[in-house]
Structures are given as structure tokens and as C-alpha cells.
Amino acid sequence: MRPIEARTANQARCQVAPTLLATILTCSAPIGLADETLPAIQSYLAAGPIENFLLQPEALPDDPSDEFYLVFDVRSAAEFEHGEALPSAEHIPYTDIAPLLETLGDDRSQPALIYCQTMLRSTQVVMALRLLGYDNVWYLSGGIDRWRTAGKPLTSSE
């Protein structure tokens, strides 16, 4: 397959994927849940690509809580305990989203910045939260590694 044909095929798959995801989740949702699930998925898909919720470290204040009410570090416990963290960050491992949901509460417009080491896990958490209807959650481009490279301040997490 030539590069142009491959790119066109990938673009077609990217256009079909959101509709397919919505259909699969709606059809597989238990009766009663579909009424809540479909609007959340439609809102998530209408917001555009996940890159729309990416923030650059250079564009943020030295303490992100000055701009965001809540800052979450979703790295593993081992990563968090033996390193540094962004100022005002609350550590909640990405595998345990329940405390994060409790902290965010029922206000789905609560602003929050979520980061991890490089941004892979924080992207997953932001995607999950947006599917749940939280429309003001963001993730940090490049994670804490990029924050450090940008010369931004860190606090000890020990």
C-alpha cells in the first residue's frame, strides 16, 4: 500500500471509530444505563480529539492550582514516593479512579489538571473522565518529565 493510500485508510478508520464506539457501548450497555451513557459518549466525541485537552507546561503558572482548582498526579505509588511532584498535586494512582471521582464530586465542570510521568496514563484518565461527563479536565503534555525539562518548580513527594 502506498503512503497516500495508507493515510486515507487510516483517516477513514478514524472517522468510523467514534461512531462504532458509540454504537458498541450503547448496544452493550445494560437497560437503563444507555440513557446516561449515550449522551456522555456523544458529548465526548463532539468535543473533538483528546489532543484538544492537552496543556503545555510553558503555558501554565508555576503552581497549576492557581489556574486549576485540583491537580492530580496519577503515577504509580512507587513513582510518586521516590520522586517529585507538581506543586499542590494530590496523588491518586491511575488504577484507582474512585478516589479521584470522590474528590471531583458531582460538579462535572470542576477544573482539574491530571498528569503522570510522560502523559500516557493521564491521557487515559482524562478520556475516562470525559466519557463520564467531566468536561473541564485536562492533561499535561509530556507529563512531569516535560514539566521538569521546562524548568518548572517541583516539590518533593517523599
Side-chain angles (χ1 to χ4, degrees), residues 61-129:
D62 286 346
D63 184 346
S65 68
D66 291 345
E67 188 169 326
F68 293 91
Y69 297 116
L70 301 171
V71 179
F72 296 104
D73 181 327
V74 296
R75 294 177 293 164
S76 70
E79 288 173 306
F80 182 79
E81 291 169 3
H82 297 98
E84 300 169 309
L86 271 65
S88 305
E90 179 178 349
H91 178 244
I92 299 177
Y94 82 104
T95 55
D96 190 13
I97 198 168
L100 187 76
L101 293 172
E102 287 176 23
T103 303
L104 286 171
D106 293 333
D107 180 4
R108 294 185 187 238
S109 63
Q110 174 75 38
L113 174 65
I114 299 172
Y115 74 93
C116 62
Q117 194 70 37
T118 61
M119 84 180 199
L120 178 64
R121 292 166 288 181
S122 57
T123 303
Q124 293 173 327
V125 171
V126 167
M127 288 172 62
L129 290 171

Coordinates of all heavy atoms in Angstrom, one line a residue, residues 61-129:
P61 N 0.9 28.4 35.0 CA 1.6 29.0 36.1 C 2.5 28.0 36.8 O 2.3 26.8 36.7 CB 0.5 29.5 37.0 CG -0.7 28.8 36.6 CD -0.6 28.3 35.2
D62 N 3.5 28.5 37.6 CA 4.4 27.5 38.3 C 3.6 26.6 39.3 O 4.0 25.5 39.5 CB 5.4 28.3 39.0 CG 6.5 28.9 38.1 OD1 6.5 28.4 36.9 OD2 7.3 29.7 38.5
D63 N 2.5 27.1 39.8 CA 1.6 26.3 40.6 C 0.3 26.2 39.9 O -0.5 27.1 39.9 CB 1.4 26.9 42.0 CG 0.6 26.0 42.9 OD1 -0.1 25.0 42.4 OD2 0.5 26.2 44.1
P64 N 0.1 25.1 39.2 CA -1.2 24.9 38.4 C -2.4 25.1 39.2 O -3.5 25.4 38.6 CB -1.1 23.5 37.8 CG 0.4 23.1 37.9 CD 0.9 23.9 39.1
S65 N -2.4 25.0 40.5 CA -3.6 25.2 41.3 C -4.0 26.6 41.3 O -5.2 26.9 41.7 CB -3.5 24.6 42.7 OG -2.6 25.4 43.4
D66 N -3.1 27.5 40.8 CA -3.5 28.9 40.7 C -4.6 29.1 39.6 O -5.4 30.0 39.6 CB -2.3 29.8 40.3 CG -1.4 29.9 41.5 OD1 -1.8 29.6 42.7 OD2 -0.2 30.4 41.3
E67 N -4.5 28.2 38.6 CA -5.4 28.2 37.5 C -6.5 27.1 37.5 O -7.6 27.2 37.1 CB -4.6 28.1 36.1 CG -5.5 28.3 34.9 CD -4.6 28.5 33.7 OE1 -3.5 29.0 33.8 OE2 -5.1 28.0 32.6
F68 N -6.1 25.9 38.1 CA -6.9 24.8 38.2 C -7.2 24.6 39.7 O -6.3 24.6 40.5 CB -6.3 23.5 37.6 CG -6.2 23.6 36.1 CD1 -5.0 24.1 35.5 CD2 -7.2 23.2 35.3 CE1 -4.9 24.2 34.2 CE2 -7.1 23.3 33.9 CZ -5.9 23.8 33.4
Y69 N -8.4 24.3 40.0 CA -8.7 24.1 41.4 C -8.1 22.8 41.9 O -7.6 22.7 43.1 CB -10.2 24.0 41.6 CG -10.9 25.3 41.3 CD1 -11.8 25.3 40.2 CD2 -10.7 26.4 42.0 CE1 -12.5 26.5 39.9 CE2 -11.3 27.6 41.7 CZ -12.2 27.7 40.6 OH -12.8 28.8 40.3
L70 N -8.0 21.8 41.1 CA -7.4 20.5 41.5 C -6.3 20.0 40.6 O -6.4 20.2 39.4 CB -8.6 19.4 41.5 CG -9.8 19.8 42.4 CD1 -10.9 18.8 42.2 CD2 -9.3 19.8 43.9
V71 N -5.3 19.5 41.2 CA -4.2 18.9 40.4 C -3.9 17.5 40.9 O -3.7 17.3 42.1 CB -2.9 19.8 40.5 CG1 -1.7 19.2 39.7 CG2 -3.1 21.2 40.2
F72 N -4.0 16.5 39.9 CA -3.9 15.1 40.3 C -2.6 14.5 39.6 O -2.4 14.6 38.4 CB -5.1 14.3 39.9 CG -6.3 14.8 40.6 CD1 -7.3 15.5 39.9 CD2 -6.6 14.4 41.9 CE1 -8.4 15.9 40.6 CE2 -7.7 14.8 42.5 CZ -8.7 15.5 41.9
D73 N -1.9 13.8 40.4 CA -0.7 13.0 40.0 C -1.2 11.6 39.9 O -1.5 11.0 41.0 CB 0.4 13.2 41.0 CG 1.7 12.4 40.6 OD1 1.6 11.4 39.9 OD2 2.8 12.9 40.9
V74 N -1.3 11.0 38.7 CA -1.8 9.6 38.6 C -0.7 8.6 38.4 O -1.0 7.5 37.9 CB -2.9 9.5 37.5 CG1 -4.1 10.4 37.9 CG2 -2.4 9.9 36.2
R75 N 0.5 8.9 38.7 CA 1.6 7.9 38.6 C 1.4 6.8 39.6 O 0.6 6.9 40.6 CB 3.0 8.6 38.8 CG 3.3 9.6 37.7 CD 4.6 10.3 38.0 NE 4.5 11.1 39.2 CZ 5.5 11.6 39.9 NH1 6.7 11.3 39.6 NH2 5.3 12.3 41.0
S76 N 2.2 5.7 39.5 CA 2.1 4.6 40.4 C 2.6 5.1 41.8 O 3.3 6.1 41.9 CB 3.0 3.4 40.0 OG 4.3 3.8 40.0
A77 N 2.3 4.4 42.8 CA 2.8 4.7 44.2 C 4.3 4.8 44.2 O 4.9 5.7 44.8 CB 2.2 3.8 45.2
A78 N 5.0 3.8 43.6 CA 6.4 3.7 43.6 C 7.0 5.0 42.9 O 8.0 5.5 43.4 CB 6.9 2.5 42.9
E79 N 6.5 5.4 41.8 CA 7.0 6.6 41.1 C 6.8 7.8 41.9 O 7.7 8.7 42.0 CB 6.2 6.8 39.8 CG 6.6 5.8 38.7 CD 5.7 5.9 37.5 OE1 4.4 5.9 37.6 OE2 6.2 6.1 36.4
F80 N 5.6 7.9 42.6 CA 5.3 9.1 43.4 C 6.2 9.2 44.6 O 6.7 10.2 44.9 CB 3.8 9.1 43.7 CG 3.4 10.3 44.5 CD1 3.2 11.5 43.9 CD2 3.3 10.3 45.9 CE1 2.9 12.6 44.6 CE2 2.9 11.4 46.6 CZ 2.7 12.6 46.0
E81 N 6.4 8.0 45.3 CA 7.1 8.0 46.6 C 8.5 8.3 46.5 O 9.2 8.8 47.4 CB 6.8 6.7 47.3 CG 5.4 6.5 47.8 CD 5.1 5.1 48.2 OE1 6.0 4.3 48.2 OE2 3.9 4.9 48.6
H82 N 9.1 8.0 45.4 CA 10.6 8.2 45.2 C 10.9 9.3 44.2 O 11.8 9.2 43.4 CB 11.2 6.9 44.8 CG 11.1 5.9 45.8 ND1 10.1 4.9 45.7 CD2 11.8 5.6 46.9 CE1 10.2 4.1 46.8 NE2 11.2 4.5 47.5
G83 N 10.1 10.4 44.2 CA 10.4 11.4 43.2 C 9.9 12.8 43.7 O 9.8 13.1 44.8
E84 N 9.5 13.5 42.7 CA 9.0 14.9 42.8 C 7.6 14.9 42.3 O 7.1 14.0 41.6 CB 9.9 15.8 42.1 CG 11.3 15.8 42.5 CD 12.3 16.6 41.6 OE1 12.2 16.3 40.4 OE2 13.0 17.4 42.1
A85 N 6.9 16.0 42.6 CA 5.5 16.2 42.2 C 5.3 17.7 41.8 O 6.1 18.6 42.3 CB 4.6 15.8 43.2
L86 N 4.3 18.0 41.1 CA 3.9 19.4 40.8 C 3.4 20.0 42.1 O 2.8 19.3 42.9 CB 2.8 19.5 39.7 CG 3.3 19.5 38.3 CD1 4.0 18.3 37.8 CD2 2.1 19.8 37.4
P87 N 3.6 21.3 42.3 CA 3.0 21.9 43.5 C 1.5 21.7 43.6 O 0.8 21.7 42.6 CB 3.4 23.4 43.3 CG 4.5 23.4 42.3 CD 4.3 22.2 41.4
S88 N 1.0 21.5 44.8 CA -0.4 21.3 45.1 C -1.0 20.0 44.5 O -2.2 19.9 44.5 CB -1.2 22.5 44.6 OG -0.7 23.7 45.1
A89 N -0.2 19.1 44.0 CA -0.7 17.9 43.4 C -1.2 16.9 44.5 O -0.5 16.7 45.5 CB 0.3 17.2 42.5
E90 N -2.3 16.3 44.2 CA -2.8 15.2 45.1 C -2.5 13.9 44.3 O -2.9 13.7 43.2 CB -4.3 15.3 45.3 CG -4.9 14.2 46.1 CD -6.4 14.4 46.4 OE1 -6.9 15.5 46.2 OE2 -7.0 13.4 46.9
H91 N -1.9 12.9 45.0 CA -1.6 11.7 44.4 C -2.7 10.7 44.4 O -3.2 10.3 45.5 CB -0.3 11.0 45.0 CG 0.0 9.7 44.4 ND1 0.0 8.5 45.1 CD2 0.4 9.4 43.1 CE1 0.3 7.5 44.3 NE2 0.6 8.0 43.1
I92 N -3.2 10.2 43.3 CA -4.2 9.2 43.2 C -3.8 8.3 42.0 O -3.8 8.7 40.9 CB -5.6 9.7 42.9 CG1 -6.0 10.6 44.1 CG2 -6.6 8.6 42.7 CD1 -7.4 11.3 43.9
P93 N -3.3 7.1 42.3 CA -2.8 6.2 41.2 C -3.9 6.0 40.1 O -5.1 5.9 40.4 CB -2.5 4.9 41.9 CG -2.3 5.2 43.3 CD -3.2 6.4 43.6
Y94 N -3.5 6.0 38.9 CA -4.4 5.9 37.8 C -5.3 4.6 37.8 O -6.4 4.6 37.2 CB -3.7 6.1 36.4 CG -3.1 4.8 35.9 CD1 -3.7 4.1 34.8 CD2 -1.9 4.3 36.4 CE1 -3.1 3.0 34.3 CE2 -1.3 3.2 35.9 CZ -1.9 2.5 34.9 OH -1.3 1.4 34.4
T95 N -4.8 3.6 38.5 CA -5.6 2.4 38.5 C -6.7 2.4 39.6 O -7.5 1.5 39.7 CB -4.6 1.2 38.9 OG1 -3.9 1.5 40.1 CG2 -3.6 0.9 37.8
D96 N -6.8 3.5 40.3 CA -7.8 3.6 41.4 C -8.5 4.9 41.2 O -8.3 5.9 41.9 CB -7.1 3.6 42.8 CG -8.1 3.5 43.9 OD1 -9.3 3.2 43.6 OD2 -7.7 3.7 45.0
I97 N -9.4 4.9 40.3 CA -10.1 6.2 39.9 C -11.2 6.6 40.9 O -11.6 7.7 40.9 CB -10.7 6.1 38.4 CG1 -11.0 7.4 37.9 CG2 -11.9 5.2 38.4 CD1 -11.3 7.5 36.4
A98 N -11.7 5.7 41.7 CA -12.8 6.0 42.7 C -12.4 7.2 43.6 O -13.3 8.1 43.7 CB -13.1 4.8 43.5
P99 N -11.2 7.3 44.2 CA -11.0 8.5 45.0 C -10.9 9.8 44.2 O -11.3 10.9 44.6 CB -9.6 8.2 45.6 CG -9.4 6.8 45.5 CD -10.2 6.3 44.3
L100 N -10.5 9.7 42.9 CA -10.5 10.8 42.0 C -11.9 11.3 41.8 O -12.2 12.5 41.9 CB -9.8 10.4 40.7 CG -9.6 11.6 39.7 CD1 -8.4 12.4 40.2 CD2 -9.3 11.0 38.4
L101 N -12.8 10.4 41.5 CA -14.2 10.7 41.3 C -14.8 11.3 42.6 O -15.6 12.3 42.5 CB -15.0 9.5 40.9 CG -14.7 8.9 39.5 CD1 -15.4 7.6 39.3 CD2 -15.0 9.9 38.4
E102 N -14.5 10.8 43.7 CA -15.0 11.4 45.0 C -14.5 12.8 45.2 O -15.2 13.7 45.6 CB -14.5 10.5 46.2 CG -15.2 9.2 46.3 CD -14.7 8.3 47.4 OE1 -14.0 8.9 48.4 OE2 -14.8 7.1 47.3
T103 N -13.2 13.0 44.9 CA -12.7 14.4 45.0 C -13.3 15.4 44.0 O -13.6 16.5 44.4 CB -11.1 14.4 44.8 OG1 -10.6 13.4 45.8 CG2 -10.5 15.7 45.1
L104 N -13.5 14.9 42.8 CA -14.1 15.8 41.8 C -15.6 16.0 42.2 O -16.1 17.1 41.9 CB -14.0 15.1 40.4 CG -12.7 15.2 39.8 CD1 -12.7 14.3 38.5 CD2 -12.3 16.6 39.4
G105 N -16.2 15.1 42.8 CA -17.6 15.2 43.2 C -18.6 15.3 42.0 O -18.3 14.9 40.9
D106 N -19.8 15.8 42.3 CA -20.9 15.8 41.3 C -20.7 17.0 40.3 O -21.4 17.0 39.3 CB -22.2 15.9 42.0 CG -22.6 14.6 42.8 OD1 -22.1 13.6 42.4 OD2 -23.3 14.7 43.8
D107 N -19.9 17.9 40.6 CA -19.7 19.1 39.7 C -18.8 18.7 38.6 O -17.6 18.6 38.7 CB -19.1 20.3 40.5 CG -18.9 21.5 39.6 OD1 -19.3 21.4 38.4 OD2 -18.3 22.5 40.1
R108 N -19.5 18.3 37.5 CA -18.7 17.8 36.3 C -18.0 18.9 35.5 O -17.3 18.6 34.6 CB -19.6 17.0 35.4 CG -20.1 15.7 36.2 CD -20.9 14.8 35.4 NE -21.3 13.8 36.4 CZ -21.1 12.5 36.2 NH1 -20.4 12.1 35.2 NH2 -21.5 11.6 37.1
S109 N -18.1 20.1 36.0 CA -17.4 21.2 35.3 C -16.2 21.7 36.2 O -15.5 22.6 35.9 CB -18.3 22.4 35.1 OG -18.8 22.9 36.3
Q110 N -15.9 20.9 37.2 CA -14.8 21.2 38.1 C -13.5 21.2 37.3 O -13.2 20.1 36.8 CB -14.8 20.1 39.2 CG -13.6 20.2 40.2 CD -13.7 21.4 41.1 OE1 -14.7 21.7 41.6 NE2 -12.6 22.0 41.4
P111 N -12.7 22.3 37.3 CA -11.5 22.2 36.5 C -10.4 21.4 37.2 O -10.3 21.5 38.5 CB -11.1 23.7 36.5 CG -12.1 24.5 37.2 CD -13.0 23.6 37.8
A112 N -9.7 20.6 36.5 CA -8.7 19.7 37.0 C -7.6 19.5 36.0 O -7.9 19.4 34.8 CB -9.3 18.4 37.5
L113 N -6.4 19.4 36.5 CA -5.2 19.1 35.6 C -4.7 17.7 36.1 O -4.5 17.5 37.3 CB -4.1 20.1 35.8 CG -2.8 19.8 35.1 CD1 -3.0 19.8 33.6 CD2 -1.7 20.8 35.5
I114 N -4.5 16.8 35.2 CA -4.1 15.4 35.5 C -2.8 15.2 34.8 O -2.7 15.5 33.6 CB -5.2 14.4 35.1 CG1 -6.5 14.8 35.9 CG2 -4.7 13.0 35.4 CD1 -7.7 14.0 35.5
Y115 N -1.8 14.6 35.5 CA -0.5 14.3 34.9 C 0.0 13.0 35.4 O -0.4 12.5 36.5 CB 0.5 15.4 35.1 CG 1.0 15.5 36.5 CD1 2.2 14.9 36.8 CD2 0.4 16.2 37.5 CE1 2.7 14.9 38.1 CE2 0.9 16.3 38.8 CZ 2.0 15.6 39.1 OH 2.5 15.7 40.4
C116 N 1.0 12.4 34.7 CA 1.7 11.2 35.1 C 3.2 11.5 34.7 O 3.6 12.6 34.6 CB 1.1 10.0 34.4 SG 1.2 10.0 32.6
Q117 N 3.9 10.4 34.5 CA 5.3 10.6 34.2 C 5.5 11.2 32.8 O 6.3 12.1 32.6 CB 6.0 9.2 34.3 CG 7.5 9.3 34.3 CD 8.0 9.9 35.6 OE1 7.5 9.7 36.7 NE2 9.1 10.8 35.5
T118 N 4.9 10.6 31.8 CA 5.1 11.0 30.4 C 3.8 11.5 29.7 O 3.9 12.1 28.6 CB 5.7 9.9 29.6 OG1 4.8 8.8 29.6 CG2 7.1 9.5 30.1
M119 N 2.7 11.2 30.1 CA 1.3 11.6 29.7 C 0.5 10.4 29.2 O -0.7 10.6 28.9 CB 1.3 12.8 28.7 CG 1.5 12.5 27.3 SD 1.4 14.0 26.4 CE 1.1 13.4 24.7
L120 N 1.0 9.2 29.1 CA 0.2 8.1 28.6 C -1.0 7.8 29.6 O -2.1 7.7 29.2 CB 1.1 6.9 28.4 CG 0.4 5.6 27.9 CD1 -0.2 5.9 26.6 CD2 1.3 4.4 27.9
R121 N -0.7 7.6 30.8 CA -1.7 7.2 31.8 C -2.7 8.4 32.0 O -3.9 8.2 32.2 CB -1.1 6.7 33.1 CG -0.4 5.4 32.9 CD 0.4 5.0 34.0 NE 1.6 5.9 34.0 CZ 2.6 5.9 34.8 NH1 2.6 5.0 35.8 NH2 3.7 6.7 34.7
S122 N -2.1 9.6 32.1 CA -3.0 10.8 32.3 C -4.0 10.9 31.2 O -5.1 11.3 31.4 CB -2.2 12.0 32.6 OG -1.4 12.3 31.5
T123 N -3.5 10.6 30.0 CA -4.4 10.7 28.8 C -5.6 9.7 29.0 O -6.7 10.0 28.7 CB -3.7 10.4 27.5 OG1 -2.6 11.3 27.4 CG2 -4.6 10.5 26.3
Q124 N -5.3 8.5 29.5 CA -6.3 7.5 29.7 C -7.3 8.0 30.7 O -8.5 7.8 30.6 CB -5.7 6.2 30.1 CG -4.9 5.5 29.0 CD -4.1 4.3 29.5 OE1 -3.7 4.3 30.6 NE2 -4.0 3.3 28.6
V125 N -6.8 8.6 31.8 CA -7.7 9.0 32.9 C -8.6 10.2 32.4 O -9.8 10.2 32.6 CB -6.9 9.5 34.1 CG1 -7.8 10.2 35.1 CG2 -6.2 8.3 34.7
V126 N -8.0 11.1 31.6 CA -8.8 12.2 31.1 C -9.9 11.7 30.1 O -11.0 12.1 30.2 CB -7.9 13.3 30.4 CG1 -8.7 14.2 29.6 CG2 -7.1 14.0 31.4
M127 N -9.5 10.7 29.3 CA -10.5 10.1 28.4 C -11.7 9.5 29.2 O -12.8 9.7 28.9 CB -9.8 9.1 27.5 CG -8.9 9.7 26.4 SD -8.0 8.4 25.5 CE -9.3 7.5 24.8
A128 N -11.3 8.7 30.2 CA -12.3 8.1 31.1 C -13.2 9.1 31.7 O -14.5 9.0 31.7 CB -11.7 7.2 32.1
L129 N -12.6 10.2 32.3 CA -13.4 11.2 33.0 C -14.3 12.0 32.0 O -15.4 12.3 32.3 CB -12.5 12.2 33.7 CG -11.8 11.6 34.9 CD1 -10.7 12.6 35.4 CD2 -12.8 11.3 36.0

